[in-house]
Amino acid sequence: MTEAAPAVRTADGVRTGGSDAGRTARVTAKLAVLWHRLPFTTTVVMAMLMLSVATGTLWRAAEDHTAYPLVAYGLPSLEAGHWWTLVTGPFFAVVPLFYLPMVGSFALFAGIAEWRLGTRRAMVVTIGGQLVSVLVALQFLALYRGSGWVWADRLATTMDVGFSGGALFAMAVASASLRAPWRLRVRAGLCVYAGVAIIYVGTLADLVHFFALVLGLPLGRLLVGPHRVKEPGRPTLRERRLLAVSGLLLVTVAEVVMYFVPGDGPFGSSADMSPSGIELAVLCVVVLPVLNGLRKGSQFAWRWAIGLTLFAMAQVLLIGGLIAVAHYLGGDFDTETPSLSLVDNLLWTVEFVLLIGARDAFRAPSRRRRKRLTRVGPGPAIARALLGHNGGSTLSWMTTWPQNSYFVTADGRSYLAYQQHAGAAIALGDPVAPDGKGARAITEFAAMCEDSGLVPCVFSATATTIEVTRELGWKHVQVAEDTLIDLECLEFRGKAWQDVRTALNRAKKDGIEFRLVRLAEQPEAIVEQVRSVSEEWVSEKGMPEMGFTLGGVDEAMDPATRVGIAVDADGVVHGVTSWLPVHIGGGQVGGWTLDVMRRRADGFRPVMEFLIASACLAFREEGARFVSLSGAPLAHSPRSGPAHAVERALETLGALMEPYYGFRSLHAFKAKFQPRHEPLYLTFRDEADLPRIGLALQRAYLPKTGLLELAKMARKR
């Protein structure tokens, strides 16, 4: 018999088979969801595709069809009385290759607008924006036709198709509803594209795009509605840097466009100004590192950018001098190319103004100078002293491990431990600070990162820190879940504790003894057995032992760390756990956090249940109020609501790592002890920082494992 295909539940709750019919049903369900959320965008995109197939324009250029003048919009069409072309033109592309960018950009921009503004408002904005931008562009050409402007005369005779004007208008309007810094990023990107296209290419479509943004950006606040407008506030350092980067990117892209796509724009032909291949290569080699340095706030990159802009601005004086000399001598001088050259250099002048205006945003010293200026920071000893005095979270003892660096506030009373990887500074856990002073530590840490060109974030932060970072405009996602056991009323009674009671009873029957010790004070034979058990556990994983928030035997050797071991009558160690102190201030330890968990493969099977339960009883006898079983990375209880896109990505990563490290299995194991849960978060400035933060976390947890090895691991799964 053949095995039946597994059933699948689709988005609308219908169960289907795993056959072709089932896959078709799932695709249909997804289309239904898309239609429900974005009906206008979906309808227009489907209409574009169906018309392209019905008319053959998907494989044959629309401008080659005899009916093109009856479909395309332009001055000739309107003057011939073909007013309907304003309605028919948006559904086609000039040539088949243009369908991909035209349909794709409409789906993206109009889809975002519909998602942000609602279907009715998005329809009005997109359709109205298309009509207005086309009509304004045609009226502009009608006014300047016959004035001797060659470019305007040429465009007045051309026709075009496409819905890109409406899509850009809708995106420009919807950008007013975006929060900082995404609002400025989107607008800067749109302006760079439209500015380069209209100046250096100058087609009718580029003119329509130009007016779509000229009209859409100022009207954004009015058209999105007051309840959707995000107040811009004062530009941050990052936004000022972005403006400078956008300006330099614009002039660089302009040179690339002149080389690969020379055109006859409103200021003359760019073919005559096109740089040679060698010149373009040299420009890119110089500008790309400068762009990256400006993005990080580098002083060195800012100085290089100033030099480049001054060099370009000097060309304005040279060209102006040549024009004056030519007129003085009465010679003929081609004024088209100089006019484009003057515009090109005017952009460099604007970039110079942006750089000077944002000079305070570029304070990060070079790496070499940073090493010279960096004074020796506090070590783990000072961190332990502050932690003992102020108290901390259940993860705070991990900040005293030697691989961390420390940021201490100006008053010297608080600190954040962090690791620096891939241009990001990953702070570990909540600030260790006196009550009410954590906000100052976070704010000063973020400022230090800004000045150093680092991406700041806090990993495994509690809700207390999230409240602080929310005030800074940061985002957060849950990355783990702390599991806490209150010891005061702990009793292993009831069905839920059956596994724990069984482990305790079996250990007593089999002669397994629990010892709560300082590992550094144990006989060498015990220490060697602990190391052997740990090495055996690591070798079974097929991957290196992780670090950062996961300690090992070396950390367990710390005299401040308590270690629970299960030893039989023959002195054989069957399992080991280590417990980190949780300071509550005033030099007192109020609880303990589980770190290392290792068991002998052929030893006492329920040894972990036995060790944890025995440790809980021993700590309660000593007066501890709670223990934390710590949080397994990338594992948590089921969510009650929809997951953020970043959270879904982390869940996928957790599933990828599960066969190797078993984080989710560990989280499920801890549920045997009926803990209460407190979420732990990753908090960061915005989503654009996540790729760098992800790479930094990979290097923090697996410093000896490269991306290639991780990719091989994913492929084997």
Side-chain angles (χ1 to χ4, degrees):
M1 294 180 61
T2 58
E3 186 175 352
V8 179
R9 185 174 296 276
T10 59
D12 57 358
V14 178
R15 291 182 64 83
T16 64
S19 61
D20 291 341
R23 286 190 290 271
T24 302
R26 292 195 295 275
V27 172
T28 303
K30 291 180 180 179
L31 289 176
V33 172
L34 189 62
W35 165 261
H36 177 73
R37 294 301 304 267
L38 305 173
F40 168 66
T41 305
T42 305
T43 300
V44 174
V45 169
M46 295 300 295
M48 289 176 178
L49 296 177
M50 288 188 292
L51 285 172
S52 69
V53 174
T55 60
T57 55
L58 190 59
W59 50 83
R60 180 187 173 194
E63 57 186 355
D64 293 339
H65 284 253
T66 56
Y68 185 70
L70 301 176
V71 175
Y73 49 77
L75 270 183
S77 298
L78 292 186
E79 290 175 345
H82 302 162
W83 56 266
W84 60 82
T85 57
L86 296 174
V87 178
T88 57
F91 292 92
F92 298 92
V94 176
V95 294
L97 185 61
F98 285 6
Y99 268 105
L100 182 61
M102 193 267 286
V103 175
S105 63
F106 183 88
L108 177 63
F109 294 157
I112 292 175
E114 188 171 5
W115 189 280
R116 303 285 303 183
L117 310 181
T119 298
R120 293 182 180 179
R121 192 180 294 265
M123 286 179 60
V124 173
V125 168
T126 306
I127 297 173
Q130 173 72 18
L131 294 174
V132 170
S133 59
V134 170
L135 288 174
V136 171
L138 297 182
Q139 182 62 40
F140 175 84
L141 294 176
L143 288 174
Y144 286 95
R145 180 176 53 181
S147 65
W149 194 355
V150 178
W151 172 76
D153 291 339
R154 185 178 69 252
L155 257 59
T157 63
T158 61
M159 293 180 292
D160 195 21
V161 291
F163 217 146
S164 53
L168 280 171
F169 186 90
M171 189 69 248
V173 170
S175 66
S177 68
L178 300 178
R179 61 179 176 84
W182 290 105
R183 177 177 52 251
L184 181 59
R185 289 172 180 169
V186 169
R187 291 181 171 181
L190 294 176
C191 291
V192 167
Y193 161 73
V196 170
I198 188 61
I199 294 174
Y200 299 98
V201 182
T203 64
L204 178 57
D206 299 323
L207 185 63
V208 171
H209 299 165
F210 174 76
F211 281 113
L213 294 184
V214 167
L215 298 171
L217 290 175
L219 293 175
R221 292 174 61 86
L222 175 64
L223 295 178
V224 301
H227 61 289
R228 295 189 181 93
V229 173
K230 301 295 184 182
E231 292 300 326
R234 186 176 180 180
T236 63
L237 288 177
R238 298 179 69 202
E239 291 176 319
R240 290 156 63 192
R241 288 175 189 167
L242 178 60
L243 285 174
V245 170
S246 299
L248 185 57
L249 180 63
L250 187 151
V251 292
T252 306
V253 170
E255 301 296 331
V256 175
V257 169
M258 283 193 292
Y259 181 80
F260 289 103
V261 193
D264 294 325
F267 303 102
S269 174
S270 60
D272 298 331
M273 287 187 56
S274 176
S276 65
I278 296 178
E279 290 174 336
L280 183 63
V282 171
L283 177 65
C284 292
V285 167
V286 172
V287 170
L288 290 180
V290 173
L291 280 171
N292 187 50
L294 290 177
R295 179 186 61 82
K296 297 179 179 179
S298 167
Q299 289 178 340
F300 184 73
W302 181 82
R303 292 182 181 129
W304 264 94
I306 288 291
L308 286 173
T309 55
L310 289 174
F311 175 77
M313 290 164 59
Q315 297 182 48
V316 177
L317 298 177
L318 177 61
I319 292 172
L322 289 175
I323 295 175
V325 171
H327 281 293
Y328 177 76
L329 297 177
D332 293 331
F333 198 91
D334 182 9
T335 58
E336 282 193 358
T337 299
S339 65
L340 181 58
S341 177
L342 290 173
V343 172
D344 182 59
N345 284 278
L346 178 62
L347 296 178
W348 283 101
T349 304
V350 172
E351 169 65 5
F352 178 78
V353 173
L354 290 175
L355 287 169
I356 293 298
R359 60 188 179 278
D360 291 341
F362 301 98
R363 296 179 295 187
S366 65
R367 184 177 301 178
R368 181 181 300 177
R369 186 164 179 263
R370 194 183 309 157
K371 290 181 178 180
R372 291 203 311 265
L373 295 177
T374 301
R375 56 185 175 83
V376 178
I382 295 179
R384 294 188 182 201
L386 288 175
L387 178 58
H389 181 269
N390 297 327
S393 70
T394 56
L395 301 183
S396 291
W397 187 258
M398 299 175 185
T399 67
T400 67
W401 291 348
Q403 62 266 33
N404 295 311
S405 300
Y406 299 96
F407 172 79
V408 179
T409 55
D411 61 4
R413 300 173 61 193
S414 311
Y415 77 86
L416 271 167
Y418 69 96
Q419 292 190 23
Q420 182 178 332
H421 302 281
I426 314 169
L428 173 56
D430 295 343
V432 175
D435 291 341
K437 299 297 183 180
R440 175 175 180 173
I442 293 290
T443 303
E444 291 187 14
F445 174 73
M448 180 274 292
C449 291
E450 288 283 1
D451 292 342
S452 303
L454 298 173
V455 173
C457 66
V458 183
F459 187 76
S460 293
T462 66
T464 303
T465 296
I466 295 304
E467 291 299 321
V468 175
T469 57
R470 186 182 286 117
E471 294 295 323
L472 298 176
W474 289 19
K475 308 290 288 182
H476 64 273
V477 293
Q478 185 176 344
V479 293
E481 204 168 47
D482 199 0
T483 48
L484 299 163
I485 302 175
D486 295 312
L487 299 179
E488 184 178 358
C489 301
L490 178 64
E491 293 183 354
F492 301 135
R493 296 181 180 179
K495 185 177 181 181
W497 293 96
Q498 180 63 47
D499 290 346
V500 176
R501 290 198 305 271
T502 299
L504 292 171
N505 293 334
R506 277 198 55 187
K508 184 176 181 180
K509 180 180 178 180
D510 293 352
I512 304 295
E513 178 189 1
F514 172 76
R515 300 177 187 172
L516 188 60
V517 300
R518 314 277 182 182
L519 188 59
E521 300 173 356
Q522 294 302 294
E524 187 64 26
I526 294 293
V527 175
E528 286 302 317
Q529 285 194 69
V530 169
R531 292 190 182 277
S532 175
V533 169
S534 180
E535 290 170 0
E536 178 186 29
W537 180 88
V538 172
S539 64
E540 290 178 352
K541 298 299 178 181
M543 287 289 289
E545 192 170 9
M546 300 182 77
F548 196 37
T549 62
L550 301 171
V553 176
D554 290 340
E555 286 75 20
M557 292 291 289
D558 190 324
T561 300
R562 307 289 290 279
V563 173
I565 54 176
V567 185
D568 64 15
D570 296 327
V572 176
V573 175
H574 288 253
V576 57
T577 56
S578 70
W579 299 87
L580 311 176
V582 181
H583 287 270
I584 58 175
Q588 296 183 352
V589 174
W592 297 86
T593 296
L594 177 63
D595 183 28
V596 171
M597 295 175 63
R598 304 287 190 268
R599 64 183 299 272
R600 188 178 295 277
D602 57 350
F604 179 58
R605 189 189 61 80
V607 67
M608 282 301 130
E609 290 91 337
F610 167 67
L611 283 170
I612 293 174
S614 300
C616 288
L617 296 175
F619 287 136
R620 185 176 65 180
E621 290 296 321
E622 293 178 357
R625 301 198 300 240
F626 63 91
V627 298
S628 166
L629 302 185
S630 195
L634 306 177
H636 49 75
S637 302
R639 303 184 191 278
S640 58
H644 188 277
V646 179
E647 292 171 330
R648 291 196 296 270
L650 291 174
E651 289 175 356
T652 301
L653 179 60
L656 174 67
M657 302 289 286
E658 180 63 20
Y660 300 94
Y661 291 103
F663 294 138
R664 296 181 177 181
S665 302
L666 176 61
H667 186 74
F669 165 78
K670 293 175 182 178
K672 293 182 179 182
F673 297 90
Q674 313 305 310
R676 57 183 174 89
H677 298 96
E678 290 188 2
L680 298 175
Y681 301 94
L682 166 67
T683 178
F684 51 94
R685 296 181 302 186
D686 62 67
E687 293 82 355
D689 289 339
L690 287 175
R692 189 172 294 274
I693 292 173
L695 180 59
L697 285 171
Q698 179 264 320
R699 293 181 181 176
Y701 271 110
L702 296 167
K704 299 180 180 180
T705 305
L707 293 176
L708 181 60
E709 189 172 351
L710 290 177
K712 291 180 180 178
M713 179 185 71
R715 193 165 56 248
K716 292 178 181 179
R717 181 177 179 267

Coordinates of all heavy atoms in Angstrom, one line a residue, residues 195-232:
G195 N 15.6 62.3 -9.4 CA 16.5 63.3 -9.8 C 17.5 62.9 -10.8 O 17.8 63.6 -11.8
V196 N 18.1 61.7 -10.7 CA 19.1 61.2 -11.7 C 18.4 61.0 -13.0 O 18.9 61.3 -14.1 CB 19.7 59.9 -11.2 CG1 20.5 59.2 -12.3 CG2 20.6 60.2 -10.0
A197 N 17.1 60.4 -12.9 CA 16.4 60.0 -14.2 C 16.1 61.3 -15.0 O 16.3 61.3 -16.2 CB 15.2 59.2 -13.9
I198 N 15.5 62.3 -14.3 CA 15.1 63.5 -15.1 C 16.2 64.3 -15.6 O 16.2 64.8 -16.7 CB 14.1 64.4 -14.2 CG1 13.5 65.5 -15.1 CG2 14.9 64.9 -13.1 CD1 12.6 65.0 -16.2
I199 N 17.3 64.4 -14.9 CA 18.5 65.2 -15.3 C 19.3 64.5 -16.4 O 19.7 65.1 -17.4 CB 19.4 65.5 -14.1 CG1 18.6 66.4 -13.1 CG2 20.7 66.2 -14.6 CD1 19.4 66.7 -11.8
Y200 N 19.5 63.2 -16.2 CA 20.5 62.5 -17.1 C 19.9 61.6 -18.2 O 20.6 61.2 -19.1 CB 21.5 61.7 -16.3 CG 22.3 62.6 -15.3 CD1 21.9 62.7 -14.0 CD2 23.4 63.3 -15.8 CE1 22.6 63.6 -13.1 CE2 24.1 64.2 -14.9 CZ 23.7 64.3 -13.6 OH 24.4 65.1 -12.8
V201 N 18.6 61.3 -18.0 CA 17.9 60.4 -19.0 C 16.8 61.3 -19.7 O 16.8 61.4 -20.9 CB 17.3 59.2 -18.4 CG1 16.7 58.3 -19.5 CG2 18.4 58.4 -17.7
G202 N 15.9 61.8 -18.9 CA 14.9 62.8 -19.5 C 13.9 62.3 -20.4 O 13.5 63.0 -21.4
T203 N 13.3 61.1 -20.2 CA 12.2 60.6 -21.1 C 10.9 61.2 -20.5 O 10.8 61.8 -19.5 CB 12.1 59.1 -21.1 OG1 11.8 58.6 -19.8 CG2 13.4 58.5 -21.6
L204 N 9.8 60.9 -21.3 CA 8.5 61.4 -20.8 C 8.1 60.7 -19.5 O 7.5 61.4 -18.6 CB 7.4 61.1 -21.9 CG 6.0 61.5 -21.5 CD1 5.8 63.0 -21.2 CD2 5.0 61.1 -22.7
A205 N 8.4 59.4 -19.4 CA 8.2 58.7 -18.1 C 8.9 59.4 -16.9 O 8.4 59.5 -15.8 CB 8.6 57.3 -18.2
D206 N 10.2 59.8 -17.2 CA 10.9 60.4 -16.1 C 10.3 61.8 -15.7 O 10.3 62.1 -14.5 CB 12.4 60.7 -16.6 CG 13.1 59.4 -16.9 OD1 12.8 58.4 -16.2 OD2 13.9 59.3 -17.9
L207 N 9.8 62.5 -16.7 CA 9.1 63.8 -16.4 C 7.9 63.5 -15.6 O 7.6 64.3 -14.6 CB 8.8 64.5 -17.7 CG 8.2 65.9 -17.5 CD1 9.2 66.8 -16.8 CD2 7.7 66.5 -18.9
V208 N 7.1 62.5 -15.9 CA 5.9 62.1 -15.1 C 6.3 61.8 -13.7 O 5.7 62.2 -12.7 CB 5.1 61.0 -15.8 CG1 4.0 60.5 -14.9 CG2 4.5 61.5 -17.1
H209 N 7.4 61.0 -13.6 CA 7.8 60.6 -12.2 C 8.3 61.8 -11.4 O 8.0 61.9 -10.2 CB 9.0 59.6 -12.3 CG 8.7 58.3 -13.1 ND1 9.6 57.5 -13.5 CD2 7.5 57.8 -13.4 CE1 9.0 56.4 -14.1 NE2 7.7 56.6 -14.0
F210 N 9.0 62.7 -12.1 CA 9.4 63.9 -11.4 C 8.2 64.7 -10.8 O 8.3 65.1 -9.6 CB 10.2 64.8 -12.4 CG 10.6 66.1 -11.9 CD1 11.6 66.3 -11.0 CD2 9.9 67.3 -12.2 CE1 12.0 67.5 -10.5 CE2 10.3 68.5 -11.8 CZ 11.3 68.6 -10.9
F211 N 7.2 64.9 -11.6 CA 6.1 65.7 -11.1 C 5.2 64.9 -10.1 O 4.6 65.5 -9.2 CB 5.2 66.1 -12.3 CG 5.7 67.3 -13.0 CD1 6.1 67.2 -14.3 CD2 5.8 68.6 -12.4 CE1 6.6 68.3 -15.0 CE2 6.3 69.7 -13.0 CZ 6.7 69.6 -14.4
A212 N 5.3 63.6 -10.2 CA 4.6 62.7 -9.2 C 5.2 63.0 -7.8 O 4.4 63.1 -6.8 CB 4.6 61.3 -9.6
L213 N 6.5 63.1 -7.7 CA 7.1 63.3 -6.5 C 7.0 64.8 -6.0 O 6.8 65.1 -4.9 CB 8.6 62.9 -6.5 CG 8.9 61.4 -6.7 CD1 10.4 61.1 -6.6 CD2 8.1 60.6 -5.6
V214 N 7.2 65.7 -7.0 CA 7.0 67.1 -6.7 C 5.7 67.4 -6.1 O 5.6 68.3 -5.1 CB 7.3 68.0 -7.9 CG1 6.9 69.4 -7.7 CG2 8.8 67.9 -8.3
L215 N 4.6 66.8 -6.5 CA 3.3 67.0 -6.0 C 3.0 66.1 -4.8 O 2.3 66.5 -3.9 CB 2.3 66.7 -7.1 CG 2.4 67.6 -8.4 CD1 1.4 67.1 -9.5 CD2 2.0 69.1 -8.0
G216 N 3.5 64.8 -4.8 CA 3.1 63.9 -3.8 C 3.7 64.1 -2.5 O 3.1 64.0 -1.4
L217 N 5.0 64.5 -2.5 CA 5.7 64.7 -1.2 C 5.1 65.8 -0.3 O 4.9 65.6 0.8 CB 7.2 64.9 -1.4 CG 8.0 63.7 -1.9 CD1 9.4 64.0 -2.2 CD2 7.9 62.5 -0.9
P218 N 4.9 67.0 -0.9 CA 4.3 68.1 -0.1 C 2.9 67.8 0.3 O 2.4 68.3 1.4 CB 4.4 69.3 -1.0 CG 5.3 69.0 -2.1 CD 5.2 67.5 -2.3
L219 N 2.1 67.0 -0.5 CA 0.7 66.8 -0.2 C 0.5 65.5 0.7 O -0.6 65.2 1.1 CB -0.1 66.6 -1.5 CG -0.2 67.8 -2.4 CD1 -0.9 67.4 -3.7 CD2 -1.0 68.9 -1.6
G220 N 1.6 64.9 1.1 CA 1.5 63.6 1.9 C 0.8 63.8 3.2 O -0.1 63.0 3.5
R221 N 1.2 64.8 4.0 CA 0.5 65.0 5.3 C -1.0 65.2 5.2 O -1.8 64.8 6.0 CB 1.2 66.1 6.0 CG 2.6 65.9 6.4 CD 3.3 67.1 7.0 NE 2.6 67.6 8.2 CZ 2.8 67.2 9.4 NH1 3.7 66.2 9.6 NH2 2.1 67.6 10.4
L222 N -1.4 65.9 4.1 CA -2.8 66.2 3.9 C -3.6 65.0 3.4 O -4.7 64.8 3.9 CB -2.9 67.4 2.9 CG -4.4 67.8 2.5 CD1 -5.1 68.3 3.7 CD2 -4.3 68.8 1.4
L223 N -3.0 64.2 2.5 CA -3.7 63.2 1.9 C -3.8 61.9 2.7 O -4.7 61.1 2.6 CB -3.1 62.8 0.5 CG -3.2 64.0 -0.5 CD1 -2.6 63.5 -1.8 CD2 -4.7 64.3 -0.8
V224 N -2.8 61.7 3.6 CA -2.9 60.4 4.4 C -3.8 60.6 5.6 O -4.3 59.6 6.2 CB -1.5 60.0 5.0 CG1 -0.5 59.8 3.8 CG2 -1.0 61.1 5.9
G225 N -4.2 61.8 5.9 CA -5.1 62.0 7.1 C -4.3 62.2 8.3 O -3.3 61.7 8.5
P226 N -4.8 63.1 9.2 CA -4.0 63.6 10.4 C -3.8 62.4 11.3 O -2.7 62.4 12.0 CB -4.9 64.6 11.0 CG -6.3 64.4 10.5 CD -6.1 63.8 9.1
H227 N -4.6 61.4 11.4 CA -4.4 60.3 12.4 C -3.4 59.4 12.0 O -2.9 58.5 12.8 CB -5.7 59.6 12.6 CG -6.3 58.9 11.4 ND1 -6.9 59.7 10.4 CD2 -6.4 57.6 11.1 CE1 -7.3 58.8 9.4 NE2 -7.0 57.6 9.8
R228 N -2.9 59.4 10.7 CA -1.9 58.5 10.2 C -0.5 59.2 10.1 O 0.4 58.5 9.9 CB -2.3 58.0 8.8 CG -3.5 57.1 8.8 CD -3.7 56.4 7.5 NE -4.9 55.6 7.4 CZ -6.1 56.0 7.0 NH1 -6.2 57.2 6.6 NH2 -7.1 55.2 7.0
V229 N -0.5 60.5 10.2 CA 0.8 61.2 10.0 C 1.7 61.0 11.2 O 1.2 61.1 12.4 CB 0.5 62.7 9.9 CG1 1.9 63.5 9.8 CG2 -0.2 63.0 8.6
K230 N 2.9 60.6 10.9 CA 3.9 60.4 12.0 C 4.7 61.8 12.1 O 5.3 62.2 11.1 CB 4.9 59.3 11.7 CG 4.2 57.9 11.5 CD 3.6 57.5 12.8 CE 3.0 56.1 12.6 NZ 2.4 55.6 13.9
E231 N 4.7 62.4 13.3 CA 5.4 63.6 13.4 C 6.9 63.5 13.2 O 7.5 62.6 13.7 CB 5.1 64.2 14.8 CG 3.7 64.6 15.1 CD 3.2 65.7 14.1 OE1 4.1 66.6 13.7 OE2 2.0 65.7 13.8
P232 N 7.4 64.3 12.3 CA 8.8 64.1 12.0 C 9.8 64.4 13.1 O 10.8 63.7 13.3 CB 9.1 65.1 10.8 CG 8.0 66.2 11.0 CD 6.8 65.4 11.6

